[in-house]
Every structure is written in structure tokens, then in C-alpha cells.
Amino acid sequence: MNLTILGCHAATPKISAHPTAQVLEIKGHVFLIDCGEGTQIQLRKYKVKFSRIKHIFISHLHGDHFFGLPGLISTFHLQGRETEMHIYGPKGIKEAILLLLKLGKSWTKFQLYFHELESNLAQVIYEDDKLTVETIPLIHRVYTNGYLFKEKPGERKLNIDAAREANIDLSYFNKIKMGHDAPNKEGVYIPNAQITFNPSPPKSYAYCSDTAYNPEMVSQITDTTVLYHEATFLKTHQELAEKTKHSTAIEAANIAKAANVSTLILGHYSGRYGNLELFKKEANEVFDNVLLAEDGKTFTF
Amino acid sequence: MNLTILGCHAATPKISAHPTAQVLEIKGHVFLIDCGEGTQIQLRKYKVKFSRIKHIFISHLHGDHFFGLPGLISTFHLQGRETEMHIYGPKGIKEAILLLLKLGKSWTKFQLYFHELESNLAQVIYEDDKLTVETIPLIHRVYTNGYLFKEKPGERKLNIDAAREANIDLSYFNKIKMGHDAPNKEGVYIPNAQITFNPSPPKSYAYCSDTAYNPEMVSQITDTTVLYHEATFLKTHQELAEKTKHSTAIEAANIAKAANVSTLILGHYSGRYGNLELFKKEANEVFDNVLLAEDGKTFTF
């Protein structure tokens, strides 16, 4: 699981502080999460293979999270893309994108599927044999969802030495990996646990931005491997965080602690702070494993 | 008259090839012309004073000429702007911008005036005591206008030595600059031409992008000081220019020559060419004074 931060700064884009966008590589997918203005340039800068993106998840319709989307879609079109594209986001996103394409007479040749969201309950919005994606209802000034990416448990790992020693024919090996017992050459069934190892525990990634402090999300994201939680403000601006429905670093850390996640990544920093280390310092008061998002940084889990 | 190129490349934005946007400083105004994605970052990079922009002219509704506009407006809002803003562009631009602001519940506190264009005839769309702005009808795949910025003739310059020698009271000096004759202390009227110099000739700037080769614009832009004309292709791609309704460098130069402009600036280069000097070389075959637009370059006239 690789997470590349294309932008992790709040509000207005600056030369070296890009608005929110990130790429999650998980189980063969390349998911784009949010798409602030300039995302397509960041994708080029950090050498992400555009064409592999088939699913784009937009949290909410503030400009710093989606004004890069029309341009990215146009670029896919100009590049001659033929592969379908799925866009998940709040109701209204389809109208906006289609209007912009219509005004420019720039209809895409590839299929564009919009999956518009309007529920305030968590729901599974994507599923295949390797993973699921769920919405995480967030609290912000407009309708907003985070996204929870959860790997499904993998196949059991064959203990090849044990299976051979037990005299099992290799034609059974695939079934064994799926958890079945298997007969040896004498016809005696060998219990699966004796000839396999446990699979690697499935990983998960929760993206929560933008949101006010929202303990209601804790049960849904409990034991998540990595939580990206916005931390727009430091605690000196607690009041401003409440007013604008954003979080402080310590609030993000409280969520991470309550949800028992392994790693917390902070981002969506307000431009008013010179020293981002202060976000980590404040979060560390309640939670140990805190990392700071940084434009261009890739985290591997 | 200063012209700062924020971006002068066609189609998809790249790390060092930004889509169209430029700033024209003329007679105390700071005009923004077109606004491709990332324009606000370019404005910061080249230290243009944002707040002085009060008029934005959009040529057409292809993304590489206007997808930076919603973000720029949002940024003005976040910066607490109170000064009104005027936006000139094809019909539809108002609906698009208002929809995006509505979806983000991001109504601006400053007044936003849309001047929507739909005429196929040149028209004066802005006028004050120092200059006029006219549309230049262009030929492209969607409804498109160029813009012609024309200074009005300035006041006559007082020949202060001649005026004193003629024994004219200084209370008449302002009237003299406006072209009036004035009496000397003996009551004899002195002809204006005797006590003034001609003003500097008014300057003008014609912005023509995007457009197919369009000799119909020549009469309107004849004797213009500076013509910015798109040159998306070299002559090897003449056929592609015709198909996509763009121009080649030599076509731009033919317009410059026919219109007897002083200076031709080329821009809107297709990304397929490594050596931009070839654009100048081809244009120079028919017109001498050719300059190449370059992201970040300021031309002073």
C-alpha cells in the first residue's frame, strides 16, 4: 500500500503548498482521492501513471478539493483515453462537470460514470474480490465524506514443506490456500491449519478531510492501519477550528487514539503556520505514531 | 504598457508549460486575460498584485483558458476581497461560475459582475477616459473572442518654456493641455500648437487566441502596437491547424504583416515541438519584429 501526497495544504494554492490530492496504490488499483487545482501538474511532477487511475473519490465540493477535476478529465480526453472512469462525490458533481464539458464542447470519448453521494450513513460504494471502499460521513460546512479503503483477507499461505511431508498432491494446493483440508495419497484428510500459515493481516486506509472533530467516526475506523486526518489548526486556534468546522492536530490525535489506528498522518495545514513540526508535537501529546503529510511524499505501509 | 505572460502553452498543463493567462498593465489598470488552471499560482510566482485585478477577460470556454477562474475567485473571497470584479466572457460563463460557488456554498462577499458575450461582431465592452476594450471576433471550435485594448490619445504636453515666454498665466496650463488656446497677460490669444507638444501616440494591444487563420480581423487591428497571436502549429502541421481551428506561425505573421502592427508576439504552442525558436524562424519569413511568449516573461512597450 503506497500513499503519495500530491497536495496537503488548506484553502488557496501557493507555489509550494498545493491543495488536497493524493494517490493510493492498493491491491493493483491506483485511486485518486480529491483533486484540488493543479493536481494534474502534481501527477506529472511525481511521475504517477495517469492512465492507471480509474476511480476518483472526491470528499466535498470546496474548490481546494475538486477544482482540478475538470482539467484532469479534459487532459484524459486530449490524451485519447478510452478506459472508463468512475467518479465518486457529493450530489452536484455530475452537473458541474457536465456543464463545463458542454460549454467547451469537450465531451470525452471515454465513458464517465458518476456515483453521486447524498447519504449521511456510511455505505460501501466500491467492492471487488480484493477490497472494499466505504464512505465515512464527516462534519463540515458542506456535505462531506471521508473514504475507508479496506483490503479483504488474503488467501492462506501454503506451508509447502508441511504439505509435501504430509504427502499431498500438488493439484490440491490452490484449494488449500482457499482454506480447505486436503487428502494425502493414502486418502487421509489433513487439517488446513497443519499445512498453511495465516495470511498477512489485511491493511486499511481511512481518509478524513475536511472535518470538524467527529468522534462518531471512531467505531467505523477502529483498528485501521493508517488514518489520514485533517489538522487545519493548532490548539491556539481551537475556536477557529470549531467555527470553520475543521480540526486541530490534537483532535486528530484523539480520534487516532480512540480508534486504535497504527499510524496517523496529519495534513490540510492552514497557511498561517510557518513550522509544521508543531502539528506533530501537539498530536504527540496524546498519540505516538504521527507522521506529517508533505507534498510529493510517498508513504509505504 | 507591460504584458506579463503567466502561461502560453496549448492544451494540457505541464510542470513548466502553463496554459494561457496573461496580465496587461495599461493606464493604471491590471487586466487579466484568460485564466487557465494554475493561474493563481503563476500570479504568485511572478509577484503580480492580485488585488489590483478588477477586470478579467476570457476568450473562450476551453479548459486551458478558463479552468483557473473558479479557484481564483475563491481565493479572492478567502482573502477577504471587497472590491467588485468584472468578468467578460462567452455566454455560459456566469452559469458555470455560479454553479461552482453554489456547490461549495462559497458565495463571494464582493460583487461579481458578469458581462456575457454572444455577438459575432466587434463591440466596445469597456470604456473609461483613458482607454477602450473591444472584442475581436475569432474563429475557433467554440465561440471565441480576442480583445483589443486601445489607449485614448493623451493630453497635449505643455511646452512650459514657450508658455512662460508667451507670458501666459499658469492658471491656464490645464486648459492648454486639453488643447485650448490661451490668452497672454496682454489678452492676446496664443494658438495651442505654439505652446504644446504632441502627446505620445496612444498604444494598443490585440490579444488573439485561440483562432484559425482569420484575415477578417485585419481591418480592426490595423496599426496596433502589439499583436499577440496564437501559433499552435508549425507549417508542417498546417492540416492539423485547419482541422482544430488553430493557426500556424506563418499565418500569425501574415496577419501581423497585413495589419501593419509594430510587434508580433507568438504563443499557445503545441506541446509537440521541442524547439520554440522554429516558430520565430517561420514567422520571420514574412514579418520581422517577432517575439516569442514565454511563461513568466514581461514585455514592456
Side-chain angles (χ1 to χ4, degrees):
Chain A
M1 191 167 87
N2 290 317
L3 177 71
T4 298
I5 307 295
L6 302 173
C8 60
H9 296 267
T12 67
K14 297 191 181 121
I15 300 163
S16 54
H18 292 269
T20 303
Q22 44 184 255
V23 168
L24 179 69
E25 291 175 80
I26 179 171
K27 292 285 178 191
H29 289 285
V30 179
F31 291 138
L32 178 63
I33 308 169
D34 277 341
C35 191
E37 182 174 352
T39 293
Q40 57 178 318
I41 295 181
Q42 296 292 89
L43 284 166
R44 285 184 203 273
K45 186 166 174 188
Y46 300 116
K47 302 193 191 318
V48 176
K49 291 217 173 68
F50 274 48
S51 57
R52 290 190 55 210
I53 297 172
K54 281 191 205 158
H55 302 267
I56 300 177
F57 300 88
I58 301 292
S59 61
H60 65 299
L61 300 183
H62 279 156
D64 59 327
H65 292 251
F66 106 106
F67 280 175
L69 187 56
L72 182 61
I73 291 171
S74 299
T75 292
F76 280 129
H77 169 62
L78 289 169
Q79 287 173 338
R81 181 186 177 105
E82 293 181 355
T83 316
E84 65 187 39
M85 169 71 76
H86 294 264
I87 294 170
Y88 306 78
K91 190 164 169 56
I93 195 168
K94 179 177 176 176
E95 184 188 359
I97 297 296
L98 293 189
L99 175 61
L100 293 173
L101 296 180
K102 186 186 81 174
L103 288 173
K105 291 187 185 164
S106 305
W107 300 115
T108 61
K109 289 207 186 83
F110 58 92
Q111 287 285 335
L112 205 47
Y113 294 97
F114 291 92
H115 306 266
E116 292 198 308
L117 308 171
E118 46 187 332
S119 172
N120 290 312
L121 300 174
Q123 53 185 153
V124 175
I125 53 170
Y126 177 80
E127 179 162 15
D128 63 23
D129 58 341
K130 300 240 174 67
L131 58 81
T132 57
V133 185
E134 298 170 19
T135 57
I136 306 171
L138 299 179
I139 299 171
H140 195 38
R141 304 193 304 277
V142 292
Y143 175 74
T144 304
N145 286 295
Y147 294 101
L148 176 58
F149 303 83
K150 281 161 79 172
E151 293 180 359
K152 291 184 174 176
E155 291 183 331
R156 298 192 61 79
K157 287 185 188 160
L158 186 71
N159 181 341
I160 198 152
D161 293 336
R164 278 184 180 145
E165 202 166 309
N167 222 355
I168 295 171
D169 191 88
L170 58 77
S171 63
Y172 290 104
F173 283 11
N174 273 335
K175 280 204 155 179
I176 293 169
K177 285 193 273 184
M178 290 162 74
H180 297 280
D181 300 339
N184 63 14
K185 290 184 179 158
E186 291 78 45
V188 179
Y189 269 73
I190 311 296
N192 187 277
Q194 210 173 302
I195 45 180
T196 60
F197 301 114
N198 288 334
S200 316
K203 290 172 192 152
S204 51
Y205 173 63
Y207 170 82
C208 296
S209 185
D210 297 353
T211 187
Y213 177 61
N214 178 16
E216 281 194 19
M217 74 171 77
V218 167
S219 61
Q220 190 187 354
I221 63 168
T222 290
D223 295 332
T224 289
T225 317
V226 182
L227 166 64
Y228 176 95
H229 194 292
E230 74 126 291
T232 307
F233 297 107
L234 295 175
K235 60 186 167 190
T236 46
H237 293 106
Q238 175 71 43
E239 212 174 308
L240 200 52
E242 282 165 28
K243 190 181 152 200
T244 58
K245 296 193 179 163
H246 282 296
S247 300
T248 61
I250 208 158
E251 285 172 337
N254 278 326
I255 297 290
K257 186 183 176 187
N260 189 39
V261 306
S262 303
T263 301
L264 169 64
I265 301 177
L266 298 179
H268 202 264
Y269 318 112
S270 158
R272 58 170 54 69
Y273 306 111
N275 179 8
L276 299 184
E277 283 299 322
L278 293 174
F279 285 89
K280 182 165 154 60
K281 202 177 155 206
E282 288 197 359
N284 277 151
E285 289 171 21
V286 296
F287 190 79
D288 280 338
N289 195 13
V290 177
L291 302 174
L292 293 177
E294 201 177 296
D295 293 0
K297 194 167 181 175
T298 296
F299 299 95
T300 301
F301 300 98
Chain B
M1 191 167 90
N2 289 318
L3 177 70
T4 299
I5 308 295
L6 302 173
C8 60
H9 296 269
T12 65
K14 298 190 180 121
I15 298 163
S16 54
H18 292 268
T20 303
Q22 45 184 253
V23 168
L24 179 69
E25 290 174 81
I26 181 171
K27 292 286 179 191
H29 287 286
V30 179
F31 291 138
L32 179 64
I33 308 169
D34 277 342
C35 190
E37 183 174 352
T39 293
Q40 58 178 318
I41 295 180
Q42 297 292 90
L43 284 166
R44 284 182 202 274
K45 187 166 173 187
Y46 299 116
K47 302 194 193 317
V48 176
K49 291 216 172 70
F50 273 48
S51 57
R52 290 190 55 210
I53 298 171
K54 282 190 203 157
H55 302 268
I56 300 177
F57 300 88
I58 301 294
S59 61
H60 65 298
L61 300 183
H62 279 156
D64 58 328
H65 291 251
F66 106 107
F67 281 175
L69 187 56
L72 182 61
I73 292 170
S74 300
T75 291
F76 280 129
H77 169 61
L78 290 169
Q79 287 173 338
R81 181 185 178 104
E82 293 181 355
T83 315
E84 63 187 41
M85 170 72 77
H86 294 264
I87 294 170
Y88 306 78
K91 190 165 167 58
I93 195 169
K94 179 176 176 176
E95 184 188 358
I97 297 296
L98 293 190
L99 175 61
L100 293 174
L101 296 181
K102 186 186 84 174
L103 289 173
K105 291 187 185 163
S106 305
W107 300 113
T108 61
K109 289 205 186 84
F110 59 93
Q111 287 285 333
L112 206 47
Y113 293 97
F114 291 91
H115 305 265
E116 292 199 308
L117 307 171
E118 45 186 334
S119 172
N120 290 313
L121 300 174
Q123 54 184 153
V124 175
I125 53 169
Y126 176 80
E127 179 162 17
D128 62 25
D129 56 343
K130 302 238 174 67
L131 57 81
T132 56
V133 185
E134 298 169 18
T135 57
I136 306 171
L138 300 178
I139 299 171
H140 195 41
R141 304 193 303 278
V142 293
Y143 175 74
T144 304
N145 287 294
Y147 294 101
L148 176 57
F149 303 83
K150 280 162 81 173
E151 292 180 358
K152 291 183 175 177
E155 292 183 332
R156 298 192 61 79
K157 285 185 189 162
L158 186 71
N159 180 341
I160 197 151
D161 294 337
R164 277 186 181 145
E165 201 165 311
N167 221 357
I168 295 172
D169 191 87
L170 57 76
S171 62
Y172 291 103
F173 284 11
N174 273 334
K175 278 202 155 178
I176 293 170
K177 286 192 274 183
M178 291 161 73
H180 298 281
D181 300 339
N184 65 11
K185 287 183 180 158
E186 291 78 44
V188 179
Y189 269 72
I190 312 295
N192 186 276
Q194 211 172 301
I195 44 179
T196 59
F197 301 113
N198 288 335
S200 317
K203 291 172 191 153
S204 51
Y205 174 64
Y207 170 84
C208 297
S209 184
D210 295 354
T211 187
Y213 176 61
N214 178 17
E216 283 194 18
M217 74 170 77
V218 168
S219 61
Q220 189 186 357
I221 64 167
T222 289
D223 295 332
T224 289
T225 318
V226 182
L227 166 64
Y228 177 97
H229 194 293
E230 75 125 292
T232 307
F233 297 106
L234 295 175
K235 60 187 169 192
T236 46
H237 293 106
Q238 175 71 43
E239 212 175 307
L240 200 51
E242 282 165 30
K243 192 180 151 201
T244 59
K245 297 195 179 162
H246 283 295
S247 299
T248 62
I250 207 157
E251 286 173 336
N254 278 326
I255 297 290
K257 187 182 176 188
N260 189 40
V261 307
S262 303
T263 302
L264 168 65
I265 302 177
L266 298 178
H268 203 262
Y269 320 112
S270 158
R272 58 170 54 66
Y273 306 111
N275 179 7
L276 299 185
E277 284 298 322
L278 294 174
F279 284 90
K280 182 166 155 58
K281 201 177 156 205
E282 290 197 359
N284 277 151
E285 289 171 22
V286 296
F287 189 80
D288 280 339
N289 195 12
V290 177
L291 301 175
L292 293 177
E294 203 177 292
D295 294 0
K297 194 168 181 173
T298 296
F299 299 96
T300 300
F301 300 98

